Amino acid sequence: MSTISCEDQLAQFQQFRQNVYANFPLNRDSVMDLLDAITGNITAQTPVELCEHPSFRRGYSALYKAIRQFFVPSSPNTAVAERKQLQKSLLKTLSPLIKAPTKRNFHLFGLDTTPIPRPFSPTLPDRTYIHQPNTIKGNKPINIGHQYSLLSFLPESEGTQNIPWSIPLSTQRVRSNTNSIAVGVEQIDTTLHHCPAFEQEQLSVLVADSYYSQRQFLDALSKESNLVLITRVRSNRVFYRQPSSSETANSGRGHRLWYGERFDLKDETTWHQPDETVQTNFTTRRGRCLQLNISAWHQMLMRGTKEYPMHQHPFTLLQVRVTDEFGQQLWHPMWLIVLGTRRNELTIMDCYLSYRQRFDMEHTLRFNKQRLLMNSFQTPDVEHEENWVQLTQLAYIQLWAARELVSALPRPKRKILSQKNSSFYNT
């Protein structure tokens, strides 16, 4: 926990709210009341019910007016550029709350996409087919609606093991004329170069799922000298070793040899001895003792194209296996690639634990949709939907900003109980 005094924590939180307030162009008081109502919501199932929240001190019509005027572009032609400028301004507002890492030597980010289904909104512009898991066997995991790309900051643990925070730094809708990879690259570039907390030589690590293991994404971000990428890859991929000196010498005339022997993830006979291995034991919540086995192959290559010269970007390949007390493998192995010029500054365990923390984003998205009503706002205007999604992300950030004040400023009854408990333990 932080050693900052209660007064300093309260002053920091008040300053954060003032900075957020200054980013609203119109009807700032109404927008701030709506933001507080979303933050403190525990009973509302739809956005309209928020007008009954004690924090929202206005009428029914003011709620929708606040959503509309959260962001109002000067003209339709400049709407995209002005929304990006608002995102940069909000990053600067959030920056003072982000502390430098102490337990690890890097900042950790997570990138993912989340669907906002709109199957019954035929007049809503720019709807596309989106991926949405379906629990009914045989049904395809698709729907119609919008998709949002979410870049989150994954902070270090503050002493509690069951509170997975992931702070949304940038939430951007994936338009039908682009894709999640292009949007994700833009979000990362904006965050690393326009958020003062990350504009340093401090190493940054980005974790993402297998969708982002494509050449387009890896090649674009390999230009960031202080960024290391950790992505999962499917078990049917084929990689290559670095060509040996003898292979290069025997290549004869013509093009220089770029790739060595094949490394087929589904064919164990093509694997060579790992360059590094790590084994450790861990205990599950149910008390079961399992063993974690990680194997690493350095200087691996991915076949590229003329547009994406992947032979210029070697990476480390990791295989993660979990076995029980009898040595039996429990699940299919997980494969990870670690790419970046500074990847050697991370240990194998750092890479595994970083990717494991990516699942904290799932908890955040579930909380945002169930409690903060992220996907509950029905509107025929796509700009208003983007405003609402941004408001819910700000509400989550405000909860994170106030996390330490919960214990520093307890309610009167809890304050008396905490004083009794402290006097009991002191005796």
Side-chain angles (χ1 to χ4, degrees):
M1 293 296 292
S2 176
T3 58
I4 304 176
S5 65
C6 178
E7 291 76 10
D8 292 339
Q9 293 177 12
L10 185 58
Q12 184 185 46
F13 182 67
Q14 291 174 340
Q15 183 62 46
F16 165 74
R17 286 177 55 83
Q18 287 294 331
N19 295 337
V20 171
Y21 180 84
N23 283 287
F24 301 147
L26 301 171
N27 286 352
R28 296 178 175 178
D29 292 336
S30 297
V31 178
M32 204 67 191
D33 283 356
L34 176 58
L35 179 62
D36 292 340
I38 300 173
T39 304
N41 175 47
I42 57 175
T43 59
Q45 299 296 320
T46 59
V48 68
E49 297 179 42
L50 293 174
C51 64
E52 300 178 354
H53 194 276
S55 298
F56 195 77
R57 301 165 294 179
R58 287 160 174 80
Y60 162 80
S61 61
L63 185 142
Y64 289 96
K65 187 176 181 180
I67 297 175
R68 292 195 306 269
Q69 298 188 342
F70 168 77
F71 169 74
V72 181
S74 56
S75 68
N77 296 331
T78 61
V80 176
E82 291 180 8
R83 189 176 287 275
K84 292 179 181 178
Q85 190 60 38
L86 173 63
Q87 179 63 43
K88 295 177 182 178
S89 179
L90 292 174
L91 281 174
K92 294 180 180 179
T93 300
L94 178 60
S95 180
L97 301 179
I98 300 176
K99 307 293 190 300
T102 57
K103 300 178 183 178
R104 54 195 180 201
N105 61 342
F106 55 88
H107 290 293
L108 185 60
F109 302 92
L111 183 64
D112 202 356
T113 56
T114 185
I116 302 293
R118 291 291 183 265
F120 307 112
S121 303
T123 61
L124 183 64
D126 206 32
R127 290 191 308 165
T128 59
Y129 288 103
I130 59 176
H131 179 275
Q132 185 183 22
N134 197 310
T135 57
I136 301 177
K137 185 177 181 180
N139 282 16
K140 294 183 178 180
I142 58 175
N143 206 332
I144 299 177
H146 292 150
Q147 195 170 22
Y148 284 81
S149 178
L150 178 66
L151 177 66
S152 297
F153 171 67
L154 305 176
E156 294 179 321
S157 174
E158 298 179 344
T160 56
Q161 300 179 355
N162 298 323
I163 305 180
W165 291 100
S166 62
I167 317 308
L169 299 175
S170 174
T171 306
Q172 188 171 334
R173 185 173 65 88
V174 182
R175 291 173 169 80
S176 58
N177 59 354
T178 183
N179 55 57
S180 301
I181 290 180
V183 174
V185 170
E186 181 183 358
Q187 288 177 296
I188 297 165
D189 180 74
T190 300
T191 301
L192 293 180
H193 297 93
H194 293 90
C195 185
F198 310 123
E199 292 180 340
Q200 301 174 358
E201 294 300 320
Q202 180 76 44
L203 178 64
S204 297
V205 176
L206 174 71
V207 291
D209 61 13
S210 59
Y211 175 79
Y212 296 94
S213 63
Q214 302 182 44
R215 303 179 185 92
Q216 178 186 356
F217 184 79
L218 300 177
D219 179 71
L221 291 182
S222 61
K223 301 176 179 62
E224 297 287 346
S225 58
N226 297 325
L227 181 66
V228 173
L229 304 174
I230 303 176
T231 67
R232 189 171 182 172
V233 292
R234 295 182 178 179
S235 58
N236 60 353
R237 296 284 294 271
V238 176
F239 300 119
Y240 298 87
R241 301 170 63 178
Q242 290 274 3
S244 62
S245 56
S246 60
E247 290 175 328
T248 306
N250 297 332
S251 61
R253 292 194 231 174
H255 193 279
R256 181 174 63 88
L257 190 63
W258 282 345
Y259 306 101
E261 298 180 3
R262 285 167 52 95
F263 192 102
D264 193 341
L265 300 189
K266 64 179 182 295
D267 186 2
E268 193 170 348
T269 61
T270 63
W271 305 353
H272 57 281
Q273 288 294 324
D275 300 313
E276 192 175 353
T277 58
V278 170
Q279 292 183 349
T280 183
N281 296 325
F282 67 96
T283 304
T284 64
R285 293 182 179 180
R286 296 185 178 182
R288 190 177 183 184
C289 183
L290 303 178
Q291 186 179 62
L292 179 69
N293 305 274
I294 307 177
S295 302
W297 292 268
H298 301 303
Q299 297 300 109
M300 300 294 292
L301 294 175
M302 177 189 303
R303 185 170 290 277
T305 62
K306 184 177 181 180
E307 186 178 2
Y308 306 114
M310 297 305 298
H311 65 279
Q312 300 177 1
H313 311 306
F315 57 85
T316 299
L317 178 66
L318 302 181
Q319 184 200 47
V320 182
R321 295 184 299 110
V322 178
T323 57
D324 59 14
E325 58 271 19
F326 304 106
Q328 298 294 325
Q329 184 170 291
L330 297 182
W331 305 288
H332 292 293
M334 179 174 66
W335 294 91
L336 304 174
I337 60 175
V338 185
L339 186 144
T341 56
R342 298 179 61 181
R343 65 185 183 278
N344 294 330
E345 299 181 22
L346 303 177
T347 65
I348 294 179
M349 210 60 182
D350 288 336
C351 298
Y352 167 72
L353 293 177
S354 297
Y355 186 81
R356 184 178 177 180
Q357 195 172 347
R358 189 194 75 86
F359 297 100
D360 293 349
M361 297 180 63
E362 304 295 336
H363 299 285
T364 297
L365 289 172
R366 182 176 60 182
F367 179 82
N368 287 355
K369 292 181 178 182
Q370 292 181 352
R371 295 296 185 183
L372 304 183
L373 311 179
M374 176 180 172
N375 61 341
S376 300
F377 182 56
Q378 302 293 331
T379 175
D381 297 312
V382 66
E383 294 81 7
H384 298 167
E385 179 189 278
E386 293 182 16
N387 291 352
W388 174 256
V389 171
Q390 186 67 62
L391 275 168
T392 59
Q393 303 309 300
L394 277 176
Y396 185 91
I397 293 174
Q398 184 166 239
L399 284 172
W400 177 69
R403 69 194 183 283
E404 295 180 349
L405 291 176
V406 174
S407 58
L409 298 174
R411 294 180 178 179
K413 181 179 179 180
R414 295 182 179 178
K415 185 175 182 181
I416 295 174
L417 293 176
S418 62
Q419 291 175 351
K420 289 182 178 180
N421 291 336
S422 62
S423 62
F424 172 78
Y425 286 111
N426 289 334
T427 56

